[in-house]
Amino acid sequence: MEFTNCYKVSIDKTIKPATFLPIPSSEHKTVEAAYKSFVAWPKSLVIPDSKVPQITSAEHKEKQNKKAKKSFITVNQLKTPKHTRSTSNKKNNNLDDA
């Protein structure tokens, strides 16, 4: 049997233990028998929990990185400008003193 459209899931809680697995194995035929073990489960029957982090393939991550806009900040942009008086102001002040 081909498992390309399946996830490897662990059954941590049973609601209806006597329910047959969608893809039975030689070891497990029911949800109860598969409790605390891993089984193949069709992707179409899996609803991801928002609390569980999504695991993605390296290929998917690479595509996401290519789509993301890259922005760069130079070191000069990080420095705050110094507030200095211009030379023309200094000249005007020196003339006033004379």
Side-chain angles (χ1 to χ4, degrees):
M1 178 176 258
E2 193 172 324
F3 298 105
T4 56
N5 289 324
C6 296
Y7 288 118
K8 179 181 178 181
V9 299
S10 73
I11 298 177
D12 298 329
K13 182 179 177 183
T14 61
I15 297 171
K16 294 184 178 181
T19 304
F20 286 101
L21 293 171
I23 303 174
S25 68
S26 59
E27 299 171 17
H28 310 296
K29 304 288 184 222
T30 64
V31 171
E32 183 178 34
Y35 180 68
K36 295 286 183 182
S37 63
F38 289 98
V39 294
W41 206 273
K43 289 181 180 181
S44 61
L45 299 178
V46 174
I47 301 170
D49 187 350
S50 61
K51 296 176 187 173
V52 178
Q54 298 297 311
I55 300 172
T56 57
S57 67
E59 182 180 308
H60 179 74
K61 285 180 183 178
E62 189 176 313
K63 285 180 184 177
Q64 291 297 333
N65 288 339
K66 286 181 181 178
K67 287 181 183 178
K69 276 190 170 181
K70 294 188 168 106
S71 60
F72 299 96
I73 298 175
T74 64
V75 176
N76 292 336
Q77 289 173 320
L78 293 174
K79 294 181 181 177
T80 56
K82 294 181 181 179
H83 297 288
T84 58
R85 292 168 55 178
S86 68
T87 55
S88 62
N89 287 341
K90 287 182 183 177
K91 287 180 186 177
N92 290 339
N93 286 341
N94 289 341
L95 292 174
D96 292 338
D97 294 339

